[in-house]
Amino acid sequence: MTQDLEMKDRSTPSNSVSSPAPSTLQHLKEIASLIETGSYSKEVRRIARAVRLTIALRRKLTASAISSFLDHVLTPGSEVHAKLSAYLPKEDDHEMEVDAATSAIQTPAKHLLPELEIYCYLLVLLFLIDQKKYSEAKACSSASIVWLKNINRRTVDVIASRLYFYYSYSYELMGDLAEIRGNLLALHRIATLRHDELGQETLLNLLLRNYLHYNLYDQAEKLRSKAPRFEAHSNQQFCRYLFYLGKIRTIQLEYTDAKESLLQAARKAPVAARGFRIQCNKWAVIVRLLLGEIPERTVFMQKGMEKALRPYFELTNAVRIGDLELFRNIADKFATTFNADRTHNLIVRLRHNVIRTGLRNISISYSRISLADVAKKLRLNSASPVADAESIVSKAIRDGAIDATLDHANGWMVSKETGDIYSTNEPQLAFNSRIAFCLNMHNEAVRALRFPPNTHKEKESAEKRRERQQQEQELAKHIAEEDDDDF
């Protein structure tokens, strides 16, 4: 009796099970219909939403699902179908036959849209990169770019910008990034002539990345200065542009502009883009140290970044103390990390800042100290430490880093009494820089606002108000998804 009850209890949930979740193929078909609707209505936001849904579905893509989707969308036996199917591995024939049969029953053959063809290229390319088949991805991306050059439709621009990115990424994974530089320049010129603004931004960032990958900073700056003004149609592309601009400015010794660009890139980046934010913070820390600033401890304690920023935290501590020996040990200890981040040359520049910080601490602590003791405290390891200490002290006095005088006869450094800092212009300059930063942030926020058109011209009814509120909610959701999407 109890066994019967147990059997009934076990069988009850199976009867109340809801319908199974949609398959990956069904999701891809819904995305295709969304692209088709956006193409006919010329609504770019629908195409953008389809791309975002694809990125969310990326981990579930399989060869059988993509093959069945190609059979559903493309004409079997066509050139595009044969070319894309050749990149996919052959899996279970029975499963593919079932999917192909169901897709053939569900939808008849239709006139193929260029957007769907380009989308199929993107889908196969994502799958090949995720499967680490980089040589096939390289060939597929090259074929897609050749196809893209002959299409001039604004509804293709969103998908095309993604293809440009993965085209460059596939070549970068193979170590052949220099091969496509001329092609990227040609694509940027085509995008400019076609007024493809999103394509211009994407290709400009790819070219900057290409130049910086080979340390061609002068060429990158020449391209950036002569390219059309960056209008920031995509938050992701604007963040990347600010990061590359910050790196260029840092190498050119323009530390103030570099700091502003790097901090703005880190602030605007989505929370999900942790790797990008870590890179921005690493370069921003180095730039602030080169400017003579000491970053706050909270910069290194951000969630998920403690381990990655640990070498830079110890480096900052050495600069703050002004200990040259500790600075050398940390630079040697984390040399591999600094070389991988390409910040090693910047850290070499920091040696002068460490010496200057130590010298400033000495001048505050001692009213008079011999140059031999200065050399000993700074731990100058050279053939003539006293002469080096004298030249360092004289240069610091000339630059205004310390307020002291040199007694050459006795070999002393005599510090002057520190005056009241509030009697100088430094507090005013500090407040002025903070006010300018806040005003600049406010102006950027106002420029980033999006207003519905013609709201001041007509009075809306209750039904129109509900429609407007619904559209605003969709727009807010769209912006939030765009910020977190595939950084």
Side-chain angles (χ1 to χ4, degrees):
M1 187 71 180
T2 55
Q3 291 179 354
D4 293 340
L5 289 173
E6 287 176 1
M7 292 291 290
K8 287 180 181 179
D9 290 340
R10 289 176 185 172
S11 61
T12 302
S14 63
N15 295 330
S16 61
V17 169
S18 59
S19 59
S23 62
T24 304
L25 178 59
Q26 188 62 36
H27 283 302
L28 290 174
K29 290 178 182 178
E30 292 173 0
I31 292 171
S33 64
L34 189 63
I35 293 175
E36 192 174 350
T37 305
S39 175
Y40 285 128
S41 61
K42 292 183 169 56
E43 291 184 89
V44 180
R45 64 182 183 86
R46 291 183 182 273
I47 310 290
R49 180 168 177 77
V51 174
R52 290 197 304 275
L53 290 173
T54 305
I55 300 301
L57 198 65
R58 183 172 177 174
R59 296 181 180 179
K60 299 179 182 179
L61 293 177
T62 60
S64 60
I66 296 175
S67 181
S68 301
F69 177 72
L70 294 180
D71 293 339
H72 169 73
V73 173
L74 303 175
T75 305
S78 63
E79 180 184 357
V80 179
H81 183 277
K83 188 179 295 185
L84 291 177
S85 298
Y87 295 121
L88 298 174
K90 302 298 181 184
E91 292 195 356
D92 189 8
D93 293 335
H94 175 70
E95 182 182 357
M96 292 176 63
E97 285 175 5
V98 170
D99 288 339
T102 54
S103 63
I105 293 171
Q106 287 177 356
T107 56
K110 298 180 180 179
H111 176 66
L112 189 60
L113 296 168
E115 290 83 0
L116 284 175
E117 289 191 24
I118 297 298
Y119 177 75
C120 290
Y121 272 106
L122 176 63
L123 202 63
V124 174
L125 185 56
L126 286 174
F127 175 77
L128 292 174
I129 291 176
D130 290 342
Q131 297 296 316
K132 295 182 171 51
K133 298 181 179 181
Y134 300 136
S135 58
E136 290 91 342
K138 180 179 170 182
C140 180
S141 62
S142 300
S144 68
I145 294 301
V146 172
W147 186 266
L148 264 178
K149 287 181 179 179
N150 302 320
I151 300 175
N152 184 12
R153 292 164 67 109
R154 298 287 69 79
T155 48
V156 178
D157 293 346
V158 178
I159 306 176
S161 65
R162 291 302 176 97
L163 276 176
Y164 294 146
F165 173 78
Y166 289 112
Y167 170 58
S168 176
Y169 185 54
S170 60
Y171 273 80
E172 184 178 350
L173 290 171
M174 293 292 292
D176 302 328
L177 203 54
E179 294 181 10
I180 61 170
R181 191 178 302 150
N183 206 3
L184 289 176
L185 287 167
L187 288 169
H188 185 267
R189 184 169 62 251
I190 293 172
T192 305
L193 293 173
R194 291 176 177 176
H195 302 286
D196 176 8
E197 295 173 344
L198 183 58
Q200 290 178 53
E201 295 176 2
T202 305
L203 288 165
L204 177 60
N205 282 334
L206 293 176
L207 283 164
L208 292 177
R209 181 182 182 88
N210 197 307
Y211 283 123
L212 297 183
H213 182 78
Y214 295 100
N215 296 323
L216 302 173
Y217 287 91
D218 290 337
Q219 288 90 326
E221 174 57 20
K222 287 177 183 177
L223 172 68
R224 189 207 64 79
S225 61
K226 294 180 181 179
R229 187 172 178 271
F230 206 97
E231 296 292 342
H233 293 278
S234 169
N235 183 60
Q236 294 92 338
Q237 298 302 329
F238 188 46
C239 289
R240 291 189 179 105
Y241 175 77
L242 289 172
F243 177 59
Y244 298 144
L245 179 61
K247 293 177 74 172
I248 293 170
R249 290 285 183 261
T250 304
I251 298 300
Q252 294 179 335
L253 306 180
E254 299 176 12
Y255 297 135
T256 304
D257 295 340
K259 171 192 166 186
E260 183 180 349
S261 298
L262 291 168
L263 291 179
Q264 191 177 2
R267 191 174 65 247
K268 283 180 172 289
V271 179
R274 185 181 301 170
F276 179 81
R277 289 168 56 228
I278 287 173
Q279 287 297 320
C280 289
N281 280 289
K282 286 178 178 179
W283 279 75
V285 166
I286 297 294
V287 170
R288 292 183 68 180
L289 291 175
L290 288 168
L291 281 170
E293 302 176 6
I294 302 298
E296 301 82 4
R297 183 180 288 267
T298 53
V299 172
F300 306 98
M301 298 299 147
Q302 299 179 63
K303 185 178 180 181
M305 300 187 189
E306 299 92 341
K307 185 178 180 180
L309 295 178
R310 185 68 190 180
Y312 294 86
F313 174 72
E314 295 189 17
L315 188 72
T316 302
N317 191 43
V319 175
R320 181 180 61 84
I321 297 171
D323 190 336
L324 194 59
E325 187 65 28
L326 179 61
F327 174 78
R328 286 198 207 98
N329 293 336
I330 292 173
D332 293 338
K333 178 181 177 182
F334 298 106
T336 306
T337 303
F338 296 145
N339 284 321
D341 295 337
R342 298 193 174 190
T343 55
H344 186 265
N345 292 336
L346 300 176
I347 290 168
V348 172
R349 297 182 191 177
L350 276 175
R351 180 179 181 276
H352 179 66
N353 292 59
V354 177
I355 294 173
R356 180 171 290 190
T357 303
L359 191 59
R360 191 182 299 119
N361 293 337
I362 291 171
S363 68
I364 293 172
S365 303
Y366 297 90
S367 60
R368 186 179 67 183
I369 184 172
S370 66
L371 294 176
D373 289 338
V374 170
K376 186 177 179 181
K377 287 184 176 295
L378 291 178
R379 300 184 184 182
L380 299 177
N381 299 328
S382 60
S384 54
V386 177
D388 289 346
E390 185 174 358
S391 64
I392 290 169
V393 171
S394 60
K395 188 176 186 301
I397 293 172
R398 186 195 67 187
D399 295 342
I402 59 173
D403 193 7
T405 57
L406 266 177
D407 187 347
H408 294 282
N410 298 316
W412 290 339
M413 181 186 79
V414 181
S415 302
K416 297 180 181 178
E417 292 184 6
T418 56
D420 184 10
I421 194 172
Y422 289 98
S423 63
T424 65
N425 290 331
E426 287 194 22
Q428 180 184 356
L429 295 174
F431 278 120
N432 184 51
S433 64
R434 294 178 185 181
I435 292 169
F437 173 77
C438 293
L439 289 175
N440 186 35
M441 182 183 292
H442 174 265
N443 292 336
E444 287 179 2
V446 171
R447 282 196 293 267
L449 292 174
R450 302 182 185 182
F451 300 97
N454 301 325
T455 52
H456 61 287
K457 292 183 179 179
E458 56 183 11
K459 294 183 179 179
E460 56 184 0
S461 62
E463 183 178 353
K464 287 186 176 181
R465 189 183 303 112
R466 284 195 297 271
E467 291 180 1
R468 178 178 59 80
Q469 290 174 352
Q470 185 177 0
Q471 290 176 358
E472 289 175 353
Q473 291 176 358
E474 292 179 357
L475 181 60
K477 184 180 179 182
H478 162 68
I479 294 172
E481 290 176 349
E482 185 182 77
D483 286 343
D484 291 335
D485 169 40
D486 186 42
F487 210 89

